[in-house]
Amino acid sequence: MPEPLIQLQGISKLFGDRMIYHDLHLDIFPGETLVILGASGSGKSTLLRVLMGHVKIDSGQVLIRGRPLHDMDRRELDSWRKSVGVLFQTGALFNSMTLRENLALPVREHTDLDDQTIDLMAQIYLQLVGLREHIDKLPAELSGGMKKRGGLARALMMQPRILFYDEPTAGLDPISTAQIGELIMNLKNKMGATSVLVTHDMQSAFHLADRLALLFDGKFAAIGSVEYFRTTTDPLVRQFVDGRLDGPFLNPSDQCSYKAELLGRKTDEVPHGKKTT
Amino acid sequence: MRAAIEFFGDFFYLLLDTLRAIAPALSSGRGRHLAWRNLWIQMNRIGVESIPIVSLVMFCIGAILAMQIAPEFAKFGIVPVTADVVALATFREMGPLVSAVVMTGFGGAAIAAEIGTMVVGEEIEAMEAMAIDPVRFLVVPRVVAGLLMMVCLTVVGDLAAMFGGLVASALLLHLGSMQYTHHALGILKVGDFLTGLAKAGVFGVLITAIACFLGLKVRGGAEGVGLNTSKTVVFTIVALILVDLIFTSVFFYLGV
Ligand SMILES: Nc1ncnc2c1ncn2[C@@H]1O[C@H](COP(=O)(O)OP(=O)(O)O)[C@@H](O)[C@H]1O
Ligand SMILES: [Mg+2]
């Protein structure tokens, strides 16, 4: 086993009185594509924020190449952030700038390349995601899927070796989904990029993943290979992967308490399955 | 109480961060032209829009002051002294304060709404993820633009008020414009002008810094943006008056 690139060691995090991580552990190895699965609201996006140092954790530590994230000074943290390309769930393009300016910004800020070169790069990456003819449009003029692809192009401008994708294919048409999948695959194969991918789309998850991790109730309930996730009889994994209605994710007794709540009755029995939001 | 202390603490941290980031933002090699371009854009947005309104409002205030004061002075037969009072009130007090209130409505609210929307759209987080410091990239150009434009606006406002007073005096008080100007220029000292501008500069920083601060503090969707935008206007006006009081006390004590 090579040295892990990123290590999550015993992470706990409270939002108000809601514990979204409870003693979470995970190693991410260089060159691998790790898919993070989990219900909506289980804390997948927040986990990427933790890895970028945007969200402070309450206990535990994040190690980047063995170095604790919370010990890093501004410069070190910046160089970690520069080495990672992040595709946000909504694309997170700057609404006041055209696609061209969006893509140029990080390179202008961090390199001494001249404007012509930067512009050429922007065109190449937009071509790669199929948006070159929209280069002078503002994000408001683009569809949700196009914004997402624009965000991906911008994430690639700094030529990162590490990529975080937050639901890159959610809300895209099947062809765009395949294109993005292809792109992620290429980045991995040609550049040896390390990817952390949050997705609900099991088909692309199985297609792209080296390993999968299922986030449930503040912990990784299962971490394993594609083979493991396809074949295991773990009810949690089976329910999520196969998209079944019954199982630990939404316990039928949950629905009982919901019914009781609607009818205004007191609910004595607390179901052991956790409600998902 | 704790929340209030935390709030002010956070605000002063932002102010400190901003002051610290000004020099590097405008002088370091990397992304320098971007910083200057940003500053130029913000100066246009924050200040230029306010010029017609400030001129109009200050013209009226000059005229109002003249008309309020003149009847009292007429009793003592010293109508021309009206010009002295209009000049002092304008340059020392009304010019900076009224210009600041107008800029709060135009620039402050717009900044808070803009930055708040960026927070909601994950734009700030994306910026940080690209190792671009939002303080350097967003706050510094706005605060510096606020400072510069507030000083300019105040000069414009001062002149507009003096002109308003002059027009009112000429039309209604039978005070000749030569006499008015003579009196106004006679009473004004360089100190009056400079203390006014010093206040204006501080107001400009205050307006934009509060707007950026509350914009960055937006949580929870469009509703949060609306909430913090109106908070910005209220907080800023209260802060302006308080700071004005402090300044005036200090000037009073020092005798300038
Ligand atoms: N800044 C925050 N303050 C309070 N609660 C938050 C914050 N960010 C996320 N949450 C909550 O944490 C949970 C996980 O959010 P998120 O990571 O976005 O989930 P996912 O991406 O898995 O759908 C959600 O219930 C959300 O409401
Ligand atoms: Mg999410």
Side-chain angles (χ1 to χ4, degrees), chain B residues 69-79 82:
Chain B
I69 295 159
E72 291 304 314
F73 286 177
K75 288 177 194 162
F76 304 98
I78 48 167
V79 172
T82 305

Side-chain angles (χ1 to χ4, degrees), chain B:
Chain B
M1 188 62 203
R2 238 196 87 180
I5 292 172
E6 240 174 61
F7 183 87
F8 282 110
D10 285 355
F11 178 66
F12 280 109
Y13 263 117
L14 179 74
L15 260 184
L16 259 161
D17 269 359
T18 308
L19 294 180
R20 220 178 283 144
I22 286 178
L26 294 178
S27 66
S28 80
R30 289 207 168 150
R32 180 176 48 195
H33 64 297
L34 219 61
W36 283 104
R37 212 190 67 183
N38 261 338
L39 178 61
W40 181 243
I41 293 171
Q42 292 308 325
M43 282 173 65
N44 273 303
R45 270 194 41 199
I46 296 170
V48 176
E49 274 183 359
S50 310
I51 288 177
I53 306 288
V54 166
S55 308
L56 176 69
V57 170
M58 287 306 294
F59 178 88
C60 296
I61 285 185
I64 292 168
L65 277 176
M67 287 186 282
Q68 294 274 25
I69 295 159
E72 291 304 314
F73 286 177
K75 288 177 194 162
F76 304 98
I78 48 167
V79 172
V81 180
T82 305
D84 301 30
V85 178
V86 171
L88 283 180
T90 298
F91 278 86
R92 296 191 67 104
E93 187 56 46
M94 299 310 269
L97 190 62
V98 173
S99 307
V101 170
V102 172
M103 196 202 259
T104 304
F106 264 107
I111 289 172
E114 182 198 24
I115 294 185
T117 308
M118 294 183 76
V119 171
V120 172
E122 293 182 314
E123 289 181 42
I124 303 292
E125 212 170 320
M127 206 170 268
E128 284 178 331
M130 292 190 277
I132 298 173
D133 179 12
V135 171
R136 187 172 60 74
F137 195 74
L138 295 174
V139 180
V140 166
R142 281 162 180 76
V143 170
V144 175
L147 190 152
L148 297 177
M149 290 316 284
M150 197 51 229
V151 172
C152 298
L153 268 184
T154 301
V155 172
V156 171
D158 286 347
L159 295 178
M162 290 317 294
F163 185 58
L166 183 142
V167 170
S169 305
L171 295 181
L172 305 168
L173 310 173
H174 311 297
L175 178 62
S177 47
M178 280 307 287
Q179 211 180 355
Y180 176 94
T181 314
H182 184 75
H183 261 267
L185 290 180
I187 189 82
L188 281 177
K189 296 191 296 290
V190 179
D192 300 323
F193 189 62
L194 292 185
T195 53
L197 292 192
K199 271 207 290 203
V202 173
F203 288 171
V205 171
L206 206 59
I207 293 166
T208 43
I210 292 177
C212 290
F213 177 66
L214 286 172
L216 287 171
K217 266 210 172 320
V218 164
R219 292 293 171 268
E223 207 181 324
V225 177
L227 185 72
N228 276 22
T229 304
S230 52
K231 256 194 203 169
T232 298
V233 174
V234 177
F235 281 20
T236 306
I237 289 177
V238 174
L240 286 173
I241 304 280
L242 289 179
V243 169
D244 195 358
L245 177 65
I246 295 170
F247 260 81
T248 309
S249 315
V250 172
F251 291 152
F252 177 80
Y253 185 73
L254 294 178
V256 281

Side-chain angles (χ1 to χ4, degrees), chain A residues 49 52 54 78 81-82 86 88-90 92-95 97 105-106 108-110 112 115 154, chain B residues 30-31 33-34 37 114 117-118 121-133 136-137:
Chain A
R49 292 195 180 109
M52 295 303 292
H54 294 318
D78 276 354
R81 286 174 173 174
K82 272 187 259 183
V86 186
F88 287 84
Q89 210 163 342
T90 56
L93 292 169
F94 301 120
N95 280 305
M97 304 181 192
L105 180 64
R108 260 198 200 142
E109 279 283 302
H110 294 306
D112 291 325
D115 285 355
R154 187 181 63 186
Chain B
R30 289 207 168 150
H33 64 297
L34 219 61
R37 212 190 67 183
E114 182 198 24
T117 308
M118 294 183 76
E122 293 182 314
E123 289 181 42
I124 303 292
E125 212 170 320
M127 206 170 268
E128 284 178 331
M130 292 190 277
I132 298 173
D133 179 12
R136 187 172 60 74
F137 195 74

Side-chain angles (χ1 to χ4, degrees), chain A residues 92-128:
Chain A
L93 292 169
F94 301 120
N95 280 305
S96 59
M97 304 181 192
T98 63
L99 269 182
R100 189 196 295 272
E101 291 163 345
N102 260 287
L103 266 70
L105 180 64
V107 187
R108 260 198 200 142
E109 279 283 302
H110 294 306
T111 72
D112 291 325
L113 294 175
D114 60 279
D115 285 355
Q116 235 169 345
T117 314
I118 295 174
D119 199 63
L120 206 62
M121 287 169 63
Q123 294 193 37
I124 291 169
Y125 282 110
L126 283 175
Q127 174 73 30
L128 203 63

Side-chain angles (χ1 to χ4, degrees), chain A residues 13-16 18 20-21 38-49 55 89 166-167 198 200 215 277, chain B residues 219:
Chain A
K13 172 76 192 168
L14 279 168
F15 274 133
R18 189 166 163 244
I20 75 158
Y21 307 124
S40 293
S42 60
K44 305 182 298 297
S45 300
T46 306
L47 193 66
L48 296 183
R49 292 195 180 109
V55 170
Q89 210 163 342
D166 198 349
E167 303 193 20
V198 169
H200 292 298
L215 191 58
T277 43
Chain B
R219 292 293 171 268

